[in-house]
Structures are given as C-alpha cells and as structure tokens.
Amino acid sequence: MSSTRIRELIVTPIAFGDPPLLNSNGVHEPLALRIILQLVLEDGTVGLGESPGGTARLERLHAAAKVVAGMDVFDTTALAAAIDAALLETVPSSHERGWTTSAIEVACLDAQGKLLDRPVSDLLGGRVRDAVPFAAYLFYKWAEHPALDGRPAITDDWGEALDPAGIVEQARLMQERYGFRSFKLKGGVLPPDEEIAAIRALAEAFPGQPLRLDPNTAWTVETSKYVARELDGVLEYLEDPAKGIEGMAEVAKDSPMPLATNMCVIAWEHLKPAVEQNAIQVLLTDHHYWGGLRRTRELAAVCEAFGLALSMHSNSHLGISLAAMTHVGAAIPNLDHSCDTHYPWNSADDVIVPGVLELRDGEIKVPTGPGLGVELDHDQLDRLHRRYVESGMRSRDDTGYMRRFQPEYERLLPRW
C-alpha cells in the first residue's frame, strides 16, 4: 500500500537546558544536545523518534534519511539492513550504527501504531504491566552554572548537593515531586568514603527503599571491592565500579552484591564473554544503542536465558525517548529493577505536548494512545532548534567544561 511508504525523514538537532550535574568525566554543560526525527509517510502520517545529539550522530541520521525514503514503514528488518549497509564503510562499530537504527525504528513503530490505532507496546507483544517503575537519579551538583564569558550564572531550584546532607535533600525533593521509591546516585565524583557516607545517609533517610551507586569506572578493582564490602546489605546493586569485562569479573569474585553495567556490555558480542566470566549480574538495557525496541525485547529474552537481571539505562533525554522506554519497559516480562531516567532534570524543555507522561508514585503509566501516544510541540521544537543553531554547541564535553572553572582538572579513570 502506498500509504505505508516513507516519503521523508526530517532530522532536527536541538539544544535544551541541563543543570550542572557532576560525574566522573567532569560536569554537564548548560545545554544538552538531542536530535528529533519526524518520519513522514506518503499519506501524511508522522512517526516520532529521538536520538542523542552530536555532529557524528547527526551526519549518520542524514545519511540514513537518504536510504529509507521510499521504503515500507512496516519492513523494519529491511530498513535496518539498508541503514547498516549505508553506514558500514564510515561507521565500522555495530554499536555506533545501532544508535541510528534505533532512533529510526522507534519512529517507524510510532507510525505503525498510528496506522493501526494501537500503542507501541502492543506491537512489542503487549504490555505485562500498566505502569513502569523508575528510580530517582541523584547527582552531586553545583548550585548553579557559574557566570562565564559574559553569560550570567544559571540557577535552578534543586540547589547544591556536594555532601551527604545535600544528596539526601535532593532525594527528598525527588520523592516529594515524583513519588520515587528507589534511588540511584551517580558517583565517581568524590573520594569513595564520601560516597559511601552518602549512600549510608540515604539508607537511613529512606529505610527499606532500594539504593544503587554508579561511579562510571572511576575506581580500581581493589577500591571497587572495598566499596562493595562497606556497602554490603545496603545496595541492591553496584553499577560499573571498574573498567571492562575483565575488571568487573575480578570485582564480582568478591562482591557481596550484584554488579550491573551499561558500559562494558553494550553490544551483542559482549554478552558471551561477560556471561562466561560472570562479570555482571544485572544488565542495564538501552534501546538507543542496542538497535531499537524490538532488539531490546530480544535482549531481555537472552538475559532471562542466562540468568541476568534487567534494569534500564538513561541518558539526558526528552519525552519521545521516555515514551519509547516506557513502552518497551511495559513489554518486558523480566524487568527486575526500576529503570533509570534523567527526565526530572530535563523535562522543562520537553518537545512533546504535556499531559501524557507523568511521573507519579515513581512510575509512568504506559500511554494507551496510538503509537508512542505523545504529540510533538512544533513551536517548542523550533525554539530548541534555534537554540542549537545560535549556541554553536555541537558536542558534549563534560571534561572541557569542568576545566573552564578548574584548569587543573584531569579526566582520570580510574581516579581512586
């Protein structure tokens, strides 16, 4: 049918506000980058997609747009193969090609759902839960983006969080506003004993509520083992304390709690050695780099076969990605832990019309409208695209931004 053919893929880079959140690489800049896709069919149906930003990913999406025009929106297997072939010569990494495929597959599923008048979760086999649980994503952070190059300081209503008391207060705000029942702390920022103290403070303030810590490979194997011993009985899992499958496997030999990753197992070829070495016990899925929602559903089945528990990774995202995460989270039977989300930090600049995606009681109800169930706010998209153009920002550089204020800062992994 001609109505299911793709007429064009509109690729729009945007920039939106981001607080000064600290991590093992440095600190978030005032703007984050994202790319919004509008997959237009010949009958005018539009499917929405979202991708992390940056020049390289933008160029790949433009290249993919040329090959998907004229193809059938329901033939996502052929679409993925065509995109893969178009990028193979310039992008040898299957993991990197997966970012492109995923964003376009989500747009295809959104369009399919609109044509069929069914939600995306139905296209993934149906939902096994009506709401998907998420964890509060806690960060060490500055009170503001300091004044720089004539730009005034940029404040927010979250305040400073640079010690256990600040982290606990941030968690209280998260719980008051969104009802979160589990908490994740982005570590790798302060010396390990200080982060251990923050986790213990959270455990005291929120007794019985699941906690996790993610230092983004900022620790050696020995430091990782030390932290795991110190937080025995406190953490539900410890995420990416050490670098690589081999490093994680060494930590896992002595760790009293499960180890999780979204860093050392990020492509299909990583699964076998990780399982063989028992490097991880929890995998954080992310449809953005596993090739899409259907591939994520397949990944969940593989994890179930090998006894790996599942959670979900997040990056600085907006509502289209959150809707996609919610649909696939609803369709995975073995979703063992609440999912990560940056959405509370970035939702004020969302590109979707508000009202569908609401974090309540630490959950998001699965949209039941056609496709992803969300609507694009075109005025907001135009505004954020203008901000992208005018800012001149084309890539994320947490380390470079940190050095603007602390010239001696080094990106050093492991640091402790």
Side-chain angles (χ1 to χ4, degrees), residues 149-237:
D149 297 336
R151 182 202 73 201
I154 304 171
T155 60
D156 58 61
D157 64 355
W158 290 98
E160 181 180 88
L162 294 174
D163 57 20
I167 292 296
V168 168
E169 178 58 24
Q170 187 183 104
R172 289 193 195 281
L173 287 173
M174 285 275 186
Q175 189 172 70
E176 287 173 7
R177 295 176 184 181
Y178 304 106
F180 288 115
R181 289 168 283 183
S182 57
F183 302 88
K184 169 176 172 172
L185 175 61
K186 177 66 75 179
V189 175
L190 302 178
D193 282 328
E194 295 185 38
E195 297 185 352
I196 290 169
I199 290 293
R200 287 176 174 159
L202 287 169
E204 183 177 351
F206 304 95
Q209 300 193 28
L211 304 175
R212 58 191 76 157
L213 174 60
D214 173 19
N216 282 139
T217 73
W219 304 335
T220 64
V221 167
E222 288 307 313
T223 299
S224 300
K225 290 180 178 181
Y226 165 73
V227 175
R229 290 193 301 269
E230 289 294 307
L231 293 177
D232 184 13
V234 182
L235 293 179
E236 61 171 330
Y237 61 71

Coordinates of all heavy atoms in Angstrom, one line a residue, residues 149-237:
D149 N 32.2 34.0 30.4 CA 32.3 34.7 29.1 C 31.1 35.6 28.8 O 30.5 35.7 27.8 CB 32.3 33.6 27.9 CG 33.5 32.7 28.0 OD1 34.5 33.1 28.6 OD2 33.4 31.6 27.4
G150 N 30.8 36.4 29.9 CA 29.7 37.4 29.7 C 28.3 36.8 30.0 O 27.3 37.6 30.0
R151 N 28.2 35.5 30.1 CA 26.9 34.9 30.4 C 26.7 34.9 31.9 O 27.6 34.6 32.7 CB 27.0 33.4 29.9 CG 25.7 32.6 30.1 CD 26.0 31.1 30.1 NE 26.6 30.7 31.4 CZ 27.3 29.6 31.5 NH1 27.5 28.8 30.5 NH2 27.9 29.3 32.7
P152 N 25.5 35.3 32.3 CA 25.2 35.3 33.8 C 25.1 33.9 34.3 O 25.0 32.9 33.6 CB 23.9 36.0 33.9 CG 23.2 35.8 32.5 CD 24.4 35.8 31.5
A153 N 25.3 33.8 35.6 CA 25.1 32.5 36.3 C 23.7 31.9 36.0 O 22.7 32.7 35.9 CB 25.4 32.6 37.8
I154 N 23.6 30.6 35.9 CA 22.3 30.0 35.6 C 21.9 29.1 36.9 O 22.6 28.2 37.2 CB 22.4 29.1 34.4 CG1 22.8 29.9 33.2 CG2 21.0 28.4 34.1 CD1 23.1 29.0 31.9
T155 N 20.9 29.5 37.5 CA 20.5 28.8 38.8 C 19.3 27.9 38.5 O 18.7 27.9 37.4 CB 20.1 29.8 39.8 OG1 19.0 30.6 39.3 CG2 21.2 30.8 40.2
D156 N 19.0 27.0 39.4 CA 17.8 26.1 39.3 C 17.3 26.0 40.7 O 17.9 26.4 41.7 CB 18.2 24.8 38.7 CG 19.3 24.1 39.5 OD1 19.1 23.7 40.6 OD2 20.4 23.8 38.9
D157 N 16.2 25.3 40.8 CA 15.5 25.1 42.1 C 15.9 23.9 42.9 O 15.3 23.5 43.9 CB 14.0 25.2 42.0 CG 13.4 24.1 41.2 OD1 14.1 23.3 40.6 OD2 12.1 24.1 41.1
W158 N 16.9 23.1 42.3 CA 17.4 21.9 43.0 C 18.4 22.2 44.1 O 18.5 21.5 45.0 CB 17.9 20.9 42.0 CG 16.9 20.3 41.1 CD1 16.6 20.7 39.8 CD2 16.0 19.3 41.4 NE1 15.5 19.9 39.3 CE2 15.2 19.0 40.3 CE3 15.8 18.4 42.5 CZ2 14.2 18.0 40.3 CZ3 14.8 17.5 42.5 CH2 14.1 17.3 41.4
G159 N 19.2 23.3 43.9 CA 20.2 23.6 44.8 C 21.4 22.8 44.7 O 21.6 21.9 43.9
E160 N 22.3 23.1 45.7 CA 23.6 22.4 45.7 C 23.5 21.0 46.4 O 22.8 20.8 47.3 CB 24.6 23.3 46.5 CG 26.0 22.7 46.5 CD 27.0 23.7 47.3 OE1 27.0 23.5 48.6 OE2 27.6 24.5 46.7
A161 N 24.3 20.1 45.9 CA 24.4 18.8 46.5 C 25.8 18.3 46.4 O 26.2 17.7 45.4 CB 23.5 17.8 45.9
L162 N 26.6 18.5 47.4 CA 28.1 18.2 47.4 C 28.5 17.4 48.7 O 29.7 17.2 48.9 CB 28.9 19.5 47.3 CG 28.7 20.3 46.0 CD1 29.5 21.6 46.1 CD2 29.2 19.4 44.8
D163 N 27.5 17.0 49.5 CA 27.8 16.2 50.6 C 26.6 15.3 50.9 O 25.6 15.4 50.3 CB 28.1 17.1 51.8 CG 27.0 18.1 52.2 OD1 25.9 17.9 51.8 OD2 27.3 19.1 52.8
P164 N 26.7 14.4 51.9 CA 25.5 13.5 52.2 C 24.2 14.3 52.5 O 23.2 13.8 52.0 CB 26.0 12.7 53.4 CG 27.5 12.7 53.2 CD 27.9 14.0 52.7
A165 N 24.3 15.4 53.2 CA 23.1 16.1 53.5 C 22.4 16.7 52.2 O 21.2 16.6 52.1 CB 23.4 17.2 54.5
G166 N 23.3 17.2 51.3 CA 22.7 17.7 50.1 C 22.1 16.6 49.2 O 21.1 16.8 48.6
I167 N 22.7 15.4 49.2 CA 22.2 14.3 48.4 C 20.8 13.8 49.0 O 19.9 13.6 48.3 CB 23.2 13.1 48.4 CG1 24.4 13.5 47.5 CG2 22.5 11.9 47.8 CD1 24.1 13.8 46.1
V168 N 20.8 13.8 50.3 CA 19.5 13.3 51.0 C 18.4 14.4 50.7 O 17.3 14.0 50.4 CB 19.7 13.2 52.5 CG1 18.4 13.0 53.2 CG2 20.6 11.9 52.8
E169 N 18.8 15.7 50.8 CA 17.7 16.7 50.5 C 17.3 16.6 49.0 O 16.1 16.7 48.7 CB 18.3 18.1 50.7 CG 17.4 19.2 50.4 CD 16.0 19.1 51.2 OE1 16.0 18.5 52.3 OE2 15.1 19.7 50.7
Q170 N 18.2 16.3 48.1 CA 17.8 16.2 46.7 C 16.9 15.0 46.5 O 15.9 15.0 45.8 CB 19.1 15.9 45.9 CG 18.8 15.9 44.4 CD 20.1 15.6 43.6 OE1 20.3 14.5 43.1 NE2 21.0 16.6 43.5
A171 N 17.2 13.9 47.3 CA 16.3 12.7 47.2 C 14.9 13.0 47.8 O 13.9 12.5 47.2 CB 17.0 11.5 48.0
R172 N 14.9 13.8 48.8 CA 13.6 14.1 49.4 C 12.7 14.9 48.4 O 11.5 14.7 48.3 CB 13.8 15.0 50.7 CG 14.3 14.2 51.9 CD 14.1 15.0 53.2 NE 14.9 14.4 54.2 CZ 14.6 13.4 55.0 NH1 13.4 12.7 54.7 NH2 15.4 12.9 55.9
L173 N 13.4 15.9 47.7 CA 12.7 16.6 46.7 C 12.2 15.7 45.6 O 11.0 15.9 45.1 CB 13.6 17.7 46.1 CG 13.9 18.9 47.1 CD1 14.9 19.8 46.4 CD2 12.6 19.7 47.3
M174 N 13.0 14.8 45.2 CA 12.6 13.9 44.1 C 11.4 13.1 44.5 O 10.5 12.9 43.8 CB 13.8 13.0 43.8 CG 14.9 13.6 42.9 SD 14.5 13.5 41.2 CE 16.0 14.1 40.5
Q175 N 11.4 12.6 45.8 CA 10.3 11.8 46.3 C 9.1 12.6 46.4 O 8.0 12.2 46.1 CB 10.7 11.1 47.6 CG 9.7 10.1 48.0 CD 10.1 9.3 49.2 OE1 10.2 9.8 50.3 NE2 10.4 8.0 49.0
E176 N 9.2 13.8 46.9 CA 8.0 14.7 47.1 C 7.4 15.0 45.8 O 6.1 15.0 45.7 CB 8.4 16.0 47.8 CG 8.7 15.8 49.3 CD 9.3 17.1 49.9 OE1 9.3 18.2 49.2 OE2 9.7 17.1 51.1
R177 N 8.2 15.3 44.8 CA 7.7 15.7 43.5 C 7.2 14.6 42.6 O 6.2 14.7 41.9 CB 8.7 16.5 42.7 CG 9.1 17.8 43.4 CD 10.3 18.5 42.7 NE 10.7 19.7 43.4 CZ 11.6 20.5 43.0 NH1 12.3 20.3 41.9 NH2 12.0 21.6 43.7
Y178 N 7.8 13.4 42.7 CA 7.5 12.3 41.8 C 7.2 11.0 42.4 O 6.9 10.0 41.7 CB 8.7 12.1 40.8 CG 9.1 13.4 40.1 CD1 10.3 14.1 40.5 CD2 8.3 13.9 39.1 CE1 10.6 15.3 39.8 CE2 8.7 15.1 38.4 CZ 9.8 15.8 38.8 OH 10.2 16.9 38.1
G179 N 7.3 10.9 43.8 CA 7.0 9.7 44.4 C 7.9 8.5 44.3 O 7.6 7.4 44.5
F180 N 9.2 8.8 43.9 CA 10.2 7.7 43.7 C 10.3 6.8 44.9 O 10.3 7.3 46.1 CB 11.5 8.3 43.4 CG 11.6 8.9 42.0 CD1 11.8 10.2 41.8 CD2 11.5 8.1 40.9 CE1 11.9 10.8 40.6 CE2 11.6 8.6 39.6 CZ 11.8 10.0 39.4
R181 N 10.4 5.5 44.7 CA 10.6 4.5 45.7 C 11.9 3.8 45.7 O 12.2 2.9 46.4 CB 9.4 3.6 45.7 CG 8.1 4.2 46.1 CD 6.9 3.3 45.8 NE 6.6 3.3 44.4 CZ 5.5 2.7 43.8 NH1 4.7 2.0 44.6 NH2 5.3 2.8 42.6
S182 N 12.8 4.2 44.8 CA 14.2 3.7 44.7 C 15.1 4.8 44.3 O 14.6 5.8 43.6 CB 14.3 2.5 43.8 OG 13.8 2.8 42.5
F183 N 16.4 4.7 44.6 CA 17.3 5.9 44.3 C 18.6 5.4 43.8 O 19.1 4.4 44.3 CB 17.5 6.6 45.7 CG 16.3 7.1 46.3 CD1 15.6 6.4 47.2 CD2 15.8 8.4 46.0 CE1 14.4 6.8 47.8 CE2 14.7 8.9 46.6 CZ 14.0 8.1 47.5
K184 N 19.1 6.1 42.8 CA 20.4 5.8 42.2 C 21.3 7.1 42.4 O 20.8 8.2 42.0 CB 20.3 5.5 40.8 CG 21.6 5.4 40.0 CD 21.5 5.0 38.6 CE 22.8 5.1 37.8 NZ 22.7 4.5 36.5
L185 N 22.5 6.9 42.9 CA 23.4 8.0 43.0 C 24.5 7.9 41.9 O 25.2 6.8 41.9 CB 24.1 8.0 44.4 CG 25.2 9.1 44.6 CD1 24.7 10.5 44.4 CD2 25.8 8.9 46.0
K186 N 24.7 8.9 41.2 CA 25.8 9.0 40.2 C 27.1 9.3 41.0 O 27.2 10.4 41.5 CB 25.6 10.0 39.1 CG 26.7 10.2 38.2 CD 26.9 9.0 37.3 CE 25.9 8.8 36.2 NZ 26.1 7.7 35.4
G187 N 28.0 8.3 41.1 CA 29.2 8.5 41.9 C 30.4 8.8 41.0 O 30.3 9.3 39.9
G188 N 31.6 8.4 41.5 CA 32.8 8.7 40.8 C 33.2 10.1 40.8 O 34.0 10.6 40.0
V189 N 32.6 10.9 41.7 CA 32.9 12.4 41.8 C 33.8 12.7 43.0 O 34.7 13.5 42.9 CB 31.5 13.1 41.9 CG1 31.7 14.6 42.1 CG2 30.7 12.8 40.7
L190 N 33.4 12.1 44.2 CA 34.2 12.4 45.4 C 34.9 11.2 45.8 O 34.6 10.1 45.3 CB 33.2 12.9 46.5 CG 32.3 14.1 46.2 CD1 31.4 14.4 47.3 CD2 33.2 15.3 45.9
P191 N 35.9 11.3 46.7 CA 36.6 10.1 47.2 C 35.6 9.0 47.7 O 34.5 9.4 48.2 CB 37.4 10.6 48.4 CG 37.7 12.1 48.0 CD 36.4 12.5 47.3
P192 N 35.9 7.8 47.5 CA 34.9 6.7 47.8 C 34.3 6.7 49.1 O 33.1 6.5 49.3 CB 35.7 5.4 47.5 CG 36.7 5.8 46.5 CD 37.1 7.2 46.8
D193 N 35.1 7.1 50.2 CA 34.5 7.1 51.5 C 33.4 8.1 51.7 O 32.4 7.9 52.4 CB 35.6 7.3 52.6 CG 36.4 6.1 52.9 OD1 35.8 5.0 52.8 OD2 37.6 6.2 53.1
E194 N 33.5 9.2 50.9 CA 32.5 10.2 51.0 C 31.2 9.8 50.3 O 30.1 10.1 50.7 CB 33.0 11.5 50.4 CG 34.1 12.2 51.1 CD 34.6 13.5 50.6 OE1 33.7 14.3 50.1 OE2 35.8 13.8 50.6
E195 N 31.4 9.0 49.2 CA 30.2 8.5 48.5 C 29.6 7.3 49.3 O 28.3 7.2 49.3 CB 30.6 8.1 47.1 CG 31.0 9.3 46.3 CD 31.3 9.0 44.8 OE1 31.3 7.8 44.4 OE2 31.6 10.0 44.1
I196 N 30.4 6.6 50.0 CA 29.8 5.5 50.9 C 29.0 6.2 52.0 O 27.9 5.8 52.3 CB 31.0 4.7 51.6 CG1 31.6 3.8 50.5 CG2 30.5 3.9 52.7 CD1 32.9 3.2 51.0
A197 N 29.5 7.3 52.5 CA 28.7 8.1 53.5 C 27.4 8.6 53.0 O 26.4 8.6 53.7 CB 29.6 9.2 54.1
A198 N 27.4 9.0 51.7 CA 26.1 9.5 51.1 C 25.1 8.4 51.0 O 23.9 8.6 51.3 CB 26.4 10.1 49.8
I199 N 25.6 7.2 50.6 CA 24.7 6.1 50.5 C 24.1 5.6 51.8 O 22.9 5.4 52.0 CB 25.4 4.9 49.8 CG1 25.7 5.2 48.3 CG2 24.6 3.6 49.9 CD1 24.4 5.3 47.4
R200 N 25.0 5.6 52.8 CA 24.5 5.3 54.2 C 23.5 6.3 54.7 O 22.5 6.0 55.4 CB 25.7 5.2 55.1 CG 26.5 3.9 54.9 CD 27.8 3.9 55.8 NE 28.5 2.6 55.7 CZ 29.7 2.4 56.0 NH1 30.4 3.4 56.4 NH2 30.3 1.2 55.8
A201 N 23.7 7.6 54.4 CA 22.8 8.6 54.7 C 21.4 8.4 54.0 O 20.3 8.6 54.7 CB 23.3 10.0 54.4
L202 N 21.5 8.0 52.8 CA 20.2 7.7 52.1 C 19.5 6.5 52.7 O 18.3 6.5 52.8 CB 20.5 7.4 50.6 CG 20.9 8.6 49.7 CD1 21.4 8.1 48.4 CD2 19.7 9.5 49.5
A203 N 20.3 5.5 53.1 CA 19.7 4.3 53.7 C 19.0 4.6 55.0 O 17.9 4.1 55.3 CB 20.8 3.2 53.9
E204 N 19.6 5.6 55.7 CA 19.0 6.0 57.0 C 17.7 6.8 56.8 O 16.7 6.7 57.5 CB 20.0 6.8 57.8 CG 19.5 7.2 59.2 CD 20.5 7.9 60.0 OE1 21.7 7.9 59.6 OE2 20.2 8.5 61.1
A205 N 17.8 7.7 55.7 CA 16.7 8.6 55.5 C 15.5 7.9 54.8 O 14.3 8.3 55.0 CB 17.1 9.7 54.6
F206 N 15.8 6.8 54.0 CA 14.8 6.1 53.3 C 14.9 4.6 53.5 O 15.2 3.8 52.7 CB 14.9 6.4 51.8 CG 14.8 7.9 51.4 CD1 16.0 8.6 51.3 CD2 13.6 8.5 51.3 CE1 16.0 9.9 51.0 CE2 13.6 9.9 51.0 CZ 14.8 10.6 50.8
P207 N 14.6 4.2 54.8 CA 14.8 2.8 55.1 C 14.0 1.8 54.3 O 12.8 2.1 54.0 CB 14.4 2.7 56.6 CG 13.5 3.9 56.8 CD 14.0 5.0 55.9
G208 N 14.7 0.8 53.8 CA 14.0 -0.3 53.1 C 13.8 0.0 51.6 O 13.3 -0.8 50.9
Q209 N 14.2 1.2 51.2 CA 14.0 1.6 49.8 C 15.3 1.3 49.0 O 16.4 1.6 49.4 CB 13.6 3.0 49.6 CG 12.3 3.3 50.4 CD 11.7 4.7 50.0 OE1 11.9 5.2 48.9 NE2 10.9 5.2 50.9
P210 N 15.2 0.6 47.8 CA 16.3 0.2 47.1 C 17.3 1.3 46.7 O 16.8 2.4 46.3 CB 15.7 -0.5 45.8 CG 14.4 -0.9 46.2 CD 13.9 0.2 47.2
L211 N 18.6 1.1 46.8 CA 19.6 2.0 46.5 C 20.6 1.4 45.6 O 20.9 0.2 45.7 CB 20.3 2.5 47.8 CG 19.5 3.1 48.9 CD1 20.4 3.4 50.1 CD2 18.8 4.4 48.5
R212 N 21.2 2.3 44.7 CA 22.3 1.8 43.8 C 23.2 2.9 43.6 O 22.9 4.1 43.8 CB 21.7 1.4 42.5 CG 20.9 2.4 41.7 CD 20.1 1.9 40.5 NE 18.9 1.2 40.9 CZ 17.8 1.1 40.1 NH1 17.9 1.6 38.9 NH2 16.8 0.4 40.5
L213 N 24.5 2.6 43.3 CA 25.6 3.5 43.1 C 26.3 3.3 41.8 O 26.6 2.1 41.6 CB 26.5 3.4 44.3 CG 27.8 4.2 44.4 CD1 27.5 5.7 44.3 CD2 28.6 3.9 45.6
D214 N 26.6 4.3 41.1 CA 27.2 4.2 39.8 C 28.4 5.2 39.6 O 28.2 6.3 39.3 CB 26.2 4.4 38.7 CG 26.8 4.5 37.3 OD1 27.9 4.0 37.1 OD2 26.2 5.0 36.4
P215 N 29.6 4.7 39.9 CA 30.8 5.6 39.7 C 31.4 5.7 38.3 O 32.4 6.3 38.2 CB 31.8 5.0 40.7 CG 31.5 3.5 40.6 CD 30.0 3.4 40.4
N216 N 30.8 5.0 37.4 CA 31.2 5.1 36.0 C 32.7 4.8 35.8 O 33.5 5.6 35.3 CB 31.0 6.5 35.4 CG 29.5 6.7 34.9 OD1 28.9 7.7 35.2 ND2 28.9 5.7 34.3
T217 N 33.2 3.7 36.4 CA 34.5 3.1 36.3 C 35.6 4.0 36.9 O 36.7 4.0 36.4 CB 34.9 2.8 34.8 OG1 35.1 3.9 34.0 CG2 33.8 1.9 34.1
A218 N 35.2 4.8 37.9 CA 36.2 5.7 38.5 C 37.1 5.0 39.5 O 38.0 5.6 40.0 CB 35.5 6.9 39.2
W219 N 36.9 3.7 39.8 CA 37.6 3.0 40.8 C 38.4 1.9 40.2 O 38.1 1.3 39.2 CB 36.6 2.4 41.8 CG 35.7 3.4 42.5 CD1 35.9 4.8 42.6 CD2 34.5 3.2 43.1 NE1 34.9 5.4 43.3 CE2 33.9 4.4 43.6 CE3 33.7 2.0 43.2 CZ2 32.7 4.5 44.2 CZ3 32.5 2.1 43.9 CH2 32.0 3.3 44.3
T220 N 39.5 1.6 40.9 CA 40.3 0.4 40.6 C 39.5 -0.8 41.1 O 38.5 -0.7 41.8 CB 41.7 0.4 41.3 OG1 41.4 0.4 42.7 CG2 42.5 1.7 40.9
V221 N 40.0 -2.0 40.7 CA 39.4 -3.2 41.2 C 39.4 -3.3 42.7 O 38.4 -3.6 43.3 CB 40.1 -4.5 40.5 CG1 39.7 -5.8 41.2 CG2 39.8 -4.5 39.1
E222 N 40.5 -3.0 43.3 CA 40.7 -3.1 44.8 C 39.7 -2.1 45.5 O 39.1 -2.4 46.5 CB 42.1 -2.9 45.2 CG 43.0 -4.0 44.8 CD 42.5 -5.4 45.4 OE1 42.1 -5.4 46.5 OE2 42.4 -6.3 44.6
T223 N 39.7 -0.9 44.9 CA 38.7 0.1 45.5 C 37.3 -0.4 45.4 O 36.5 -0.2 46.3 CB 38.9 1.5 44.9 OG1 40.3 1.9 45.1 CG2 38.0 2.5 45.5
S224 N 37.0 -0.9 44.2 CA 35.6 -1.4 44.0 C 35.3 -2.5 45.0 O 34.1 -2.5 45.5 CB 35.5 -2.0 42.6 OG 35.8 -1.0 41.6
K225 N 36.2 -3.4 45.3 CA 35.9 -4.5 46.2 C 35.7 -3.9 47.6 O 34.9 -4.3 48.4 CB 37.1 -5.5 46.2 CG 37.2 -6.3 45.0 CD 38.4 -7.3 45.1 CE 38.5 -8.2 43.9 NZ 39.7 -9.1 44.0
Y226 N 36.5 -2.9 48.0 CA 36.4 -2.2 49.3 C 35.0 -1.6 49.4 O 34.3 -1.8 50.4 CB 37.5 -1.1 49.4 CG 37.2 -0.1 50.5 CD1 37.4 -0.5 51.8 CD2 36.8 1.2 50.2 CE1 37.2 0.4 52.9 CE2 36.6 2.1 51.3 CZ 36.8 1.7 52.6 OH 36.6 2.6 53.6
V227 N 34.6 -0.8 48.4 CA 33.2 -0.2 48.5 C 32.1 -1.2 48.6 O 31.2 -1.1 49.4 CB 33.0 0.7 47.3 CG1 31.6 1.3 47.3 CG2 34.0 1.9 47.3
A228 N 32.3 -2.3 47.8 CA 31.3 -3.4 47.9 C 31.2 -4.0 49.3 O 30.1 -4.2 49.8 CB 31.6 -4.5 46.8
R229 N 32.3 -4.2 49.9 CA 32.3 -4.7 51.3 C 31.6 -3.7 52.2 O 30.8 -4.1 53.1 CB 33.7 -5.0 51.7 CG 34.4 -6.2 51.1 CD 35.6 -6.6 51.8 NE 36.6 -5.6 51.9 CZ 37.6 -5.4 51.0 NH1 37.7 -6.1 50.0 NH2 38.5 -4.4 51.2
E230 N 32.0 -2.5 52.1 CA 31.5 -1.4 53.0 C 30.0 -1.3 52.9 O 29.3 -0.9 53.8 CB 32.2 -0.1 52.7 CG 33.6 -0.1 53.2 CD 33.8 -0.2 54.7 OE1 33.1 0.6 55.4 OE2 34.5 -1.0 55.1
L231 N 29.4 -1.5 51.7 CA 28.0 -1.3 51.4 C 27.2 -2.6 51.3 O 26.1 -2.6 50.8 CB 27.8 -0.4 50.2 CG 28.3 1.0 50.3 CD1 28.2 1.8 49.0 CD2 27.6 1.7 51.5
D232 N 27.8 -3.7 51.8 CA 27.1 -5.0 51.9 C 25.8 -4.8 52.7 O 25.8 -4.3 53.8 CB 28.0 -6.0 52.6 CG 27.4 -7.4 52.6 OD1 26.4 -7.6 51.8 OD2 28.0 -8.2 53.3
G233 N 24.7 -5.3 52.1 CA 23.4 -5.2 52.7 C 22.7 -3.8 52.5 O 21.6 -3.6 53.0
V234 N 23.4 -2.9 51.9 CA 22.9 -1.5 51.7 C 22.4 -1.3 50.3 O 21.4 -0.7 50.0 CB 23.9 -0.5 52.1 CG1 23.3 1.0 52.0 CG2 24.4 -0.7 53.5
L235 N 23.2 -1.8 49.3 CA 22.9 -1.6 47.9 C 22.2 -2.7 47.3 O 22.4 -3.9 47.6 CB 24.2 -1.4 47.1 CG 25.1 -0.1 47.3 CD1 26.3 -0.2 46.4 CD2 24.2 1.1 47.1
E236 N 21.2 -2.4 46.4 CA 20.6 -3.5 45.6 C 21.6 -4.0 44.5 O 21.6 -5.2 44.2 CB 19.3 -3.1 45.0 CG 19.3 -2.0 44.0 CD 18.0 -1.7 43.3 OE1 17.2 -2.7 43.1 OE2 17.7 -0.6 42.9
Y237 N 22.3 -3.1 43.9 CA 23.4 -3.5 43.1 C 24.4 -2.3 42.9 O 24.1 -1.1 43.2 CB 23.0 -3.9 41.7 CG 22.2 -3.0 40.8 CD1 22.8 -1.9 40.2 CD2 20.8 -3.2 40.5 CE1 22.1 -1.0 39.4 CE2 20.1 -2.3 39.7 CZ 20.8 -1.3 39.1 OH 20.1 -0.4 38.3

